Every structure is written in structure tokens, then in C-alpha cells.
Amino acid sequence: MARVALVTGGTRGIGEAISIALMRAGYKVAANYGGNDEAANKFKDETGIPVYKFDVSDPAGCEAGIRAIESEHGPVEILVNNAGITRDGMFHKMTFDQWSAVIRTNLDSMFTCTRPVIDGMRSRNFGRIIIISSINGQKGQMGQANYSAAKAGVIGFAKALAQENANKGVTVNVIAPGYIGTEMVRAVPEEVLKSKILPLIPVGRLGEAEEIARSVLFLAGDDAGFITGSTLSVNGGQYMA
């Protein structure tokens, strides 16, 4: 029987690529999304992957959403915590709303989305939890104190959770992408991209969302059972931790 994989923020950008890659690899995929009904319905129509709308920062909403997924498809055995937002600004001008919105969505979601599935993974002696962090959670980034704090926090979360669950066949790992050619990044003016961003990347190009997806596929598989508590940097050599 195909294993069930839940991808949060799974209908756009990197999440979309992850959802599609998992589906093509034979997993039964459920894609969560937060607010863009038009994009989610388009994704569902084009891929056939079922979509589930709930706010990853809301404990009750996550509990209900994940229970609905499990009742329809079976227990979640692969969880990809990918959902995230940005509310950028220099810290001395940042509001608490900007801070807390990012922390709730990017960091609190580690609890709200993982807590409903961890007991089941432990009882079955198998689980794969894969968290999408960021290069900016490793090195920091000006104007992203909130985002960098959250994305660094998920790395600590993964290391602790990995230790707690290693003897239950549950692995917990992090992928930290660099600059990926998503719609958001490609909207940057070409001159800025060529003069300010690409020179920082030793391989000389943006990453592709599919390259992150392939990393997820590896960590989700049986062959990665001896890898846990690790952070895989996929950034073209821009930052080496």
C-alpha cells in the first residue's frame, strides 16, 4: 500500500514541486494550503492531488485537517513541513504583528502539524518528518530577523525531535534551500538578480524547486533510515555550514 505523505504549503512554489515529485514516486499525497483557493484548485485540477485548506498556525485547524486527511487516505507516514511566509523589515522598524505572524506560521507549525502525527508514527515504528528551513536560518539575513529566527528554530526542533524518536524508526531532517527559482525570486528585476544575487552563488545559477523535491524524496525513502537530525544545505555553495 502506498504511504501517505502530507506536504504543508504544498500547492505552490517549492511545496508544489515536492507534492508532484512524491506523487510521481508512488506516494499518496495530500497537499495543504492556507489561503489561495484559486491556485490550490488549479493545482488540484492539473495534478489530481487532493488539497486541504487549514491554517498551519492554528492547533485546532491542523488537528481537524490532519484527521480528515487520515480518515480519507490512511495514516500520515511522511510529513513535509514546508509552509512558510515572510514579513520582511529592518528589526528597528518591525512591528510585533510582523514578528508574530512569521513565528506562528514558520515555527509554531512545527508543533501544530507534527504533534497530530507523531504518536501514530511511533506506534507503527516508521515515520519521516522533513522540514524545509532556509539558508537564512543558517547564516541570518538583514531585514529578516523574524524569518531567520523561525528558520533557525526549526533546525533545533528537528535535532531534538530526532533524538526522541530515533529508536522508533522515525527520522527527522531539515533541508535548507538557498535561492530557488520560484515565482517570487524570479520577480526580482533581472539586473538585481545578475548583479546582486547570482555572484553570491558559486555554481552561478538559481536552484530549481525540483532539486529541493529530489532531496525530499531521498530523505523520505527507506534508504535514508540512518540519517536523522541532519540539515541538508541545497544552496549551490553559497553558504557552507
Side-chain angles (χ1 to χ4, degrees), residues 194-225:
K194 289 181 177 178
S195 64
K196 302 291 187 183
I197 295 176
L198 292 181
L200 300 176
I201 306 173
V203 301
R205 65 173 177 85
L206 298 176
E208 297 295 336
E210 289 75 17
E211 292 176 299
I212 306 302
R214 288 193 290 272
S215 301
V216 170
L217 280 182
F218 171 66
L219 292 174
D222 290 345
D223 289 344

Side-chain angles (χ1 to χ4, degrees), residues 146-232:
N146 47 5
Y147 184 82
S148 296
K151 290 300 188 178
V154 305
I155 295 174
F157 169 79
K159 289 179 178 180
L161 197 65
Q163 293 179 58
E164 292 181 11
N165 293 281
N167 67 346
K168 293 294 186 179
V170 179
T171 66
V172 188
N173 291 292
V174 176
I175 297 171
Y179 281 96
I180 306 300
T182 59
E183 181 180 346
M184 179 176 67
V185 173
R186 294 194 185 280
V188 173
E190 185 175 357
E191 180 54 37
V192 173
L193 195 64
K194 289 181 177 178
S195 64
K196 302 291 187 183
I197 295 176
L198 292 181
L200 300 176
I201 306 173
V203 301
R205 65 173 177 85
L206 298 176
E208 297 295 336
E210 289 75 17
E211 292 176 299
I212 306 302
R214 288 193 290 272
S215 301
V216 170
L217 280 182
F218 171 66
L219 292 174
D222 290 345
D223 289 344
F226 201 58
I227 302 172
T228 194
S230 293
T231 299
L232 176 60

Side-chain angles (χ1 to χ4, degrees), residues 36-55:
N36 193 324
D37 294 320
E38 182 179 355
N41 289 328
K42 182 174 182 288
F43 167 85
K44 179 181 178 181
D45 291 342
E46 291 178 350
T47 66
I49 295 172
V51 298
Y52 294 84
K53 184 178 183 179
F54 54 88
D55 180 356

Side-chain angles (χ1 to χ4, degrees), residues 134-148:
S134 167
I135 186 175
N136 293 339
Q138 296 175 299
K139 71 175 187 60
Q141 177 61 40
M142 184 172 67
Q144 287 195 324
N146 47 5
Y147 184 82
S148 296

